[in-house]
Amino acid sequence: MRFPARRALRPGLRTRLIAAFLLVAAVSALTTAALTYQSARSAILKQAQDQAVEQFREQIANEYFTLPTSTQALQNACRTLARAGKPHPWFVFAEYGTLRASSTNRPTSTVVTDELRRQTHANAHGSFQRVIQDGTPYLTIGMPVMFDRGALGDQRSGVYLYAVMDLKTESITIDAMVSAAKNGALPALAVAVVPALLAARSVLRPVRDLRRAASSMGKGRLDTRIEVKGSDELADLALTFNESAGELERSVQELQKAEARARRFASDVSHELRTPLAGMLAVTEVLDEDAGGLDPDTARAVRLISAETGKLATLVEDLMEISRFDAKAAELNTDEVDVAETIAKTLQRRHWQDRVSTELPPGVRAMIDPRRFDIVVANLVGNALRHGSEPVTVRLRPGVGDGPLVIEVTDAGPGIAEAVLPHIFDRFFKADAARTRSAGSGLGLAITLENVRLHGGTLGAANAPGGGAVFTVELPTGLGASVPVEAGP
């Protein structure tokens, strides 16, 4: 019971397909948005950075410096450079030895890092850094002021200028891109539901067709086929199913024809043997009566012929009976009877009343076919007497409420081998492979089972805890009016 419950809690194939489709769409959208964001962010910042560095370098090249200089001269230079700042206003800071000046009211900046100072002092072409302070992004640029010495090349002047430009505009643009990506993700996923549903439908339709076709075949309609559409793997599956169904239908038809021929053969042979056997039985009865006056060898031969003829007659009758069951021509003619009296009459007719003990409470009545019920009891008791050990006991238990009545036949024999139990009701099955001859036809228990099924009951075989075999028959007590009923399969 645990596995069906687990399967019931598991999402259906449609749900899993849609979830997988949406997951792929979400991952694709997020990956695309992330890559686009990184590329756009790098492009925006690089454009602003390159423009600012180039502008700052040009402005410094155009500015005139004289050395030695003063704080006021440095401050004027810083303000001139700050006014020319692009693409956003700059804050310019100057350092010359111990002198400090800026375009603001503070001579130094906390945004300019020591790392940028070291790189600026080491690199004649300048350096830059992106710094975030108090949540605000800044671009910091450091440039040394160089003197042109002609053939001697450029020489450091000792003046170092630093430009600080905030990147709020670029940050706002980037944040807007992130917001747009977030706002567009949910609608994109919502739109993706439509192709997900269409894809799930296109996949599930053949699966549903296959399930319906398999269910139809399970109910016996072997001519069921699936319409093949397209040329994909699902179409190949449908084509394979149709081919398998066709082969199965042909095989079953051949088996049915072979079974029908076998039934017809058994029935025809039984009918053909019935008339000559009747004559042989009459002759053997006469011979049995005169066997006492014959010599011993002839008497033994006569009695052997008589016994074997009786067995052959029993086999023919059983074959005819089983053929009627196979052809579903067996009829059930029920009547309301006293079950205990019916069982007692069965034992009396076969002179078993002295060999079989009974527990038959009176007053138990049921709608049964007396002839077929007699066969059921006779076969079970006869089987217990032949293959078990006495005492053999027949017990009758009335049904409780609307429950079935129960008949048990037990013996004191060795019981039934565990390997034999599953086959005990098979036709011509012999528990002992070495026993090729027996008093019965090998069809008695099979006919008994068919008669019980014809009544709508059940028949079971088991071993009693204390030893011996137990055959249990359960029959409904009321089958309605006496009407013909077809035998079970």
Side-chain angles (χ1 to χ4, degrees):
M1 296 301 292
R2 180 173 55 190
F3 295 104
R6 182 184 301 172
R7 187 167 60 247
L9 295 175
R10 189 177 181 183
L13 183 57
R14 176 189 290 273
T15 303
R16 283 182 282 161
L17 281 173
I18 294 176
F21 194 94
L22 292 180
L23 179 61
V24 172
V27 171
S28 301
L30 291 176
T31 303
T32 303
L35 294 176
T36 303
Y37 164 75
Q38 290 292 340
S39 300
R41 179 177 180 274
S42 298
I44 292 172
L45 294 178
K46 188 176 186 303
Q47 182 181 5
Q49 167 189 298
D50 292 347
Q51 185 177 356
V53 171
E54 186 64 26
Q55 287 291 330
F56 192 50
R57 183 180 288 114
E58 290 179 0
Q59 294 298 327
I60 292 175
N62 295 330
E63 187 68 23
Y64 180 75
F65 289 90
T66 60
L67 295 178
T69 186
S70 63
T71 302
Q72 185 61 44
L74 289 176
Q75 188 176 36
N76 291 336
C78 289
R79 288 175 177 174
T80 300
L81 292 173
R83 286 193 294 270
K86 291 180 181 180
H88 306 304
W90 294 338
F91 300 100
V92 182
F93 298 86
E95 296 179 357
Y96 178 68
T98 59
L99 298 180
R100 301 290 184 269
S102 73
S103 61
T104 68
N105 55 4
R106 292 185 299 174
T108 59
S109 172
T110 57
V111 178
V112 178
T113 64
D114 293 338
E115 177 65 25
L116 179 63
R117 289 189 177 92
R118 283 193 295 270
Q119 293 178 1
T120 303
H121 282 236
N123 189 353
H125 298 285
S127 299
F128 62 87
Q129 274 187 339
R130 287 200 291 266
V131 180
I132 297 178
Q133 188 177 76
D134 299 330
T136 302
Y138 294 94
L139 174 65
T140 58
I141 307 170
M143 290 285 181
V145 177
M146 308 295 291
F147 286 157
D148 186 3
R149 295 296 186 181
L152 297 177
D154 293 337
Q155 182 179 355
R156 295 178 184 271
S157 65
V159 178
Y160 297 94
L161 297 175
Y162 300 93
V164 177
M165 181 182 72
D166 70 71
L167 298 174
K168 288 182 180 179
T169 303
E170 287 76 9
S171 179
I172 292 172
T173 302
I174 293 171
D175 291 342
M177 291 173 56
V178 173
S179 299
K182 290 181 179 178
N183 295 332
L186 289 178
L189 289 178
V191 172
V193 171
V194 176
L197 289 172
L198 294 176
R201 182 182 179 185
S202 64
V203 172
L204 290 178
R205 185 189 297 111
V207 175
R208 285 195 298 267
D209 292 342
L210 182 62
R211 178 182 60 81
R212 284 194 293 266
S215 176
S216 178
M217 289 191 65
K219 295 176 181 177
R221 294 188 286 271
L222 300 181
D223 58 343
T224 303
R225 300 292 184 271
I226 302 176
E227 183 181 358
V228 180
K229 297 179 179 179
S231 57
D232 55 8
E233 289 80 358
L234 292 174
D236 292 341
L237 177 61
L239 184 61
T240 303
F241 178 88
N242 290 341
E243 293 174 351
S244 301
E247 290 296 329
L248 178 61
E249 184 180 14
R250 283 189 290 273
S251 299
V252 170
Q253 287 176 349
E254 291 176 0
L255 288 174
Q256 289 175 342
K257 291 177 181 178
E259 184 181 5
R261 287 194 297 268
R263 285 200 304 264
R264 187 166 55 252
F265 173 77
S267 178
D268 293 344
V269 169
S270 300
H271 279 287
E272 292 298 326
L273 288 176
R274 197 173 190 184
T275 299
L277 275 174
M280 291 173 64
L281 284 173
V283 172
T284 54
E285 287 180 3
V286 174
L287 291 176
D288 277 341
E289 293 177 358
D290 298 336
L294 301 174
D295 62 86
D297 291 339
T298 305
R300 281 195 299 272
V302 167
R303 291 190 179 94
L304 178 61
I305 292 173
S306 177
E308 293 302 321
T309 303
K311 291 180 183 179
L312 183 58
T314 302
L315 175 60
V316 169
E317 290 296 329
D318 287 346
L319 283 174
M320 292 183 64
E321 183 70 7
I322 209 72
S323 297
R324 283 191 286 270
F325 281 114
D326 289 341
K328 298 184 179 180
E331 294 183 349
L332 189 68
N333 299 306
T334 60
D335 191 11
E336 185 177 353
V337 299
D338 187 299
V339 180
E341 290 182 1
T342 304
I343 295 175
K345 290 179 181 178
T346 298
L347 300 178
Q348 291 171 3
R349 274 194 293 267
R350 290 160 178 83
H351 308 291
W352 289 339
Q353 64 271 24
D354 295 334
R355 301 176 59 188
V356 178
S357 60
T358 59
E359 297 177 12
L360 306 175
V364 180
R365 305 189 68 82
M367 296 294 296
I368 58 177
D369 185 327
R371 184 184 71 84
R372 295 190 180 279
F373 185 71
D374 175 78
I375 294 174
V376 170
V377 175
N379 283 347
L380 293 179
V381 174
N383 185 76
L385 291 172
R386 282 193 302 271
H387 304 296
S389 296
E390 299 183 24
V392 174
T393 304
V394 179
R395 296 182 180 89
L396 171 64
R397 294 200 303 270
V400 179
D402 294 333
L405 60 89
V406 179
I407 300 102
E408 281 185 356
V409 178
T410 61
D411 62 60
I416 306 171
E418 293 297 328
V420 173
L421 276 175
H423 310 285
I424 195 67
F425 299 110
D426 292 352
R427 300 176 185 182
F428 300 107
F429 178 79
K430 296 183 183 295
D432 185 1
R435 181 171 56 86
T436 58
R437 300 281 295 169
S438 65
S441 64
L443 294 172
L445 289 179
I447 292 174
T448 302
L449 178 62
E450 295 294 347
N451 279 305
V452 171
R453 287 177 175 173
L454 199 60
H455 281 84
T458 59
L459 173 60
N463 290 313
V470 180
F471 287 86
T472 305
V473 179
E474 294 186 358
L475 295 177
T477 57
L479 294 177
S482 177
V483 293
V485 179
E486 288 188 348

